[in-house]
Amino acid sequence: MIYSHEVEAMCPVAQGVHHGAAPIPEEAKWVQAKQVGDISGLTHGVGWCAPQQGACKLTLNVKEGVIQEALIETIGCSGMTHSAAMAAEILPGLTVLEALNTDLVCDAINTAMRELFLQIVYGRSQSAFSEDGLPIGAGLEDLGKGLRSQIGTMYGTLKKGPRYLEMAEGYVTGLALDEEGLIIGYQFVNLGKMTDFIKKGDDPNTAYEKSKGQYGRVADAARIIDPRKE
């Protein structure tokens, strides 16, 4: 350790009010985090790339400083999906400090990692007050039974109005309009369910029909339009 001449010339003064790190809530315990291994918790965070063309939602389940589970969801950029595939292989097994200093390829994923690091080391995790935290696998709960990301895709123009393209229920196939042209409901097909039906042996047409649904006053519609074509 090298000290400047000015510091060497100083006399020692005790740090009387320094009592260590403030405790943070971790899995129903108060922890004075002094090293990476003191960090545990499950939390979510969102990141974005420099041009803000795409975004990433990252979920990590950390136990004693080590990432045990990672869910990487991306939107807005095709290259991000390949970066997410790499991140799913890279992140489990790293400490949160290693992950913060690892090139996760996509800048949005890197930014999400930074945001999660800040949350989790300050005790702002989703499992701060859950005894023993959340089990490995809890990250999948955000996806629902079909294990597909919850996506909302909507589009609108001043000249032609709104278009619903994808909802939590699935891919929107029809918009129900009333006599004034206002949206009063929509039809959809759940692509996850349809794929599962096909994997179980149904032919595609049967699987498609079994996966269809609707929301709102579709039966009262004066007209049903295809939001992607009409």
Side-chain angles (χ1 to χ4, degrees):
M1 193 78 69
I2 300 174
Y3 296 96
S4 69
H5 173 73
E6 290 79 8
V7 172
E8 289 286 6
M10 294 176 182
C11 64
V13 176
Q15 293 175 269
V17 296
H18 181 59
H19 302 298
I24 59 174
E26 290 186 20
E27 302 188 340
K29 297 186 294 287
W30 290 97
V31 178
Q32 280 188 300
K34 298 179 181 179
Q35 54 191 4
V36 172
D38 294 330
I39 301 299
S40 294
L42 181 142
T43 195
H44 314 273
V46 176
W48 54 94
C49 57
Q52 300 194 29
Q53 178 183 351
C56 167
K57 178 194 170 190
L58 181 61
T59 304
L60 297 180
N61 200 346
V62 180
K63 302 290 185 183
E64 297 180 348
V66 178
I67 297 170
Q68 301 291 334
E69 174 185 20
L71 172 65
I72 306 99
E73 300 174 86
T74 61
I75 190 169
C77 170
S78 58
M80 295 171 71
T81 61
H82 296 79
S83 299
M86 295 176 67
E89 295 190 41
I90 293 169
L91 285 170
L94 297 184
T95 68
V96 287
L97 186 59
E98 287 177 305
L100 189 67
N101 289 283
T102 296
D103 181 9
L104 298 174
V105 185
C106 168
D107 204 30
I109 303 176
N110 284 315
T111 303
M113 184 62 228
R114 179 194 72 197
E115 297 301 307
L116 258 73
F117 181 86
L118 291 173
Q119 286 178 221
I120 206 164
V121 299
Y122 280 115
R124 272 68 172 178
S125 69
Q126 303 296 311
S127 57
F129 301 103
S130 301
E131 191 170 359
D132 296 324
L134 295 174
I136 311 306
L140 289 177
E141 292 179 5
D142 282 358
L143 300 180
K145 292 182 179 179
L147 296 186
R148 300 189 78 230
S149 295
Q150 303 295 309
I151 298 293
T153 308
M154 313 298 156
Y155 179 71
T157 61
L158 179 61
K159 184 175 183 179
K160 298 295 184 178
R163 297 293 187 277
Y164 300 173
L165 302 175
E166 183 135 1
M167 298 289 232
E169 298 94 334
Y171 179 96
V172 178
T173 56
L175 289 184
L177 308 180
D178 66 9
E179 296 288 352
E180 298 178 0
L182 296 173
I183 298 173
I184 58 173
Y186 53 87
Q187 298 171 325
F188 61 87
V189 59
N190 188 308
L191 298 178
K193 288 183 178 179
M194 185 177 78
T195 304
D196 287 341
F197 286 136
I198 293 172
K199 287 192 293 185
K200 290 177 181 177
D202 286 350
D203 67 85
N205 287 332
T206 301
Y208 178 79
E209 291 299 322
K210 288 170 66 173
S211 304
K212 288 166 64 174
Q214 62 185 44
Y215 180 84
R217 296 188 293 116
V218 176
D220 299 333
R223 182 185 178 196
I224 296 177
I225 65 168
D226 182 338
R228 292 171 175 78
K229 301 293 185 182
E230 298 175 78

